[in-house]
Amino acid sequence: MLVLGVLLIVLAGATVVAVSWDEAATATATATFTVFDRTLQLSQLEFFFAGAVTGAVFLLGLALLFAGTRRSAVRRRRMRDSRLEARDRVARLEREKQELERKLAETPETPSVDPETTAPHPRVEVPRQHSADQLVAGRHTRPPK
């Protein structure tokens, strides 16, 4: 949008400069211009409307230029905010890491547990309970009625 806005402003400015250099165009009732090897003959009213169109093109270029700068400013602000959030998040994680390292250094070491000397937990048998519920894919048979 910025490039298009600048292009329209330059185009309108070049048109104003080209017309202002042609002294015969402003002095007579009809103005003759050659654009891209084409000759245009404009009356004073057509010349006025051409100036109005040139002004509208200039204003459109300014609007596009301002919209583009506003959009890029918003994008830069969002990027800056996201970078600050990431920096704060990293700093918070670093503080948590240092706190955990400090706590780890302060706690006394516990003796390591040798799995060979530790006895396994004894298994406890749970009595089976009969109910009217039947498993869908179970091995139980329905109790007789």
Side-chain angles (χ1 to χ4, degrees):
M1 288 175 66
L2 288 171
V3 174
L4 183 61
V6 169
L7 184 67
L8 289 176
I9 290 171
V10 167
L11 180 68
T15 303
V16 169
V17 168
V19 169
S20 65
W21 277 6
D22 189 7
E23 295 175 7
T26 57
T28 61
T30 60
T32 304
F33 297 101
T34 304
V35 179
F36 299 121
D37 293 333
R38 295 201 160 233
T39 303
L40 299 173
Q41 217 172 3
L42 302 174
S43 68
Q44 286 182 348
L45 183 62
E46 292 169 336
F47 190 62
F48 172 76
F49 285 128
V53 168
T54 303
V57 167
F58 179 76
L59 290 177
L60 178 65
L62 278 178
L64 287 174
L65 184 70
F66 288 143
T69 56
R70 188 178 320 118
R71 179 178 292 173
S72 63
V74 167
R75 188 175 11 164
R76 281 192 308 269
R77 188 177 312 121
R78 284 183 186 158
M79 287 298 292
R80 184 178 61 235
D81 290 344
S82 67
R83 271 186 260 138
L84 288 175
E85 278 183 27
R87 189 180 308 150
D88 291 343
R89 195 174 327 126
V90 167
R92 187 178 66 243
L93 288 173
E94 286 291 329
R95 283 192 307 268
E96 288 178 9
K97 177 185 169 198
Q98 290 172 355
E99 180 68 23
L100 290 173
E101 286 175 347
R102 186 187 57 80
K103 285 182 181 179
L104 183 63
E106 288 178 357
T107 57
E109 282 196 35
T110 56
S112 61
V113 177
D114 187 13
E116 293 177 4
T117 60
T118 307
H121 185 69
R123 186 175 192 122
V124 178
E125 293 293 326
V126 178
R128 184 177 279 177
Q129 297 179 359
H130 296 286
S131 70
D133 293 338
Q134 181 181 359
L135 295 174
V136 175
R139 294 173 290 214
H140 301 295
T141 59
R142 181 175 260 185
K145 292 186 179 181

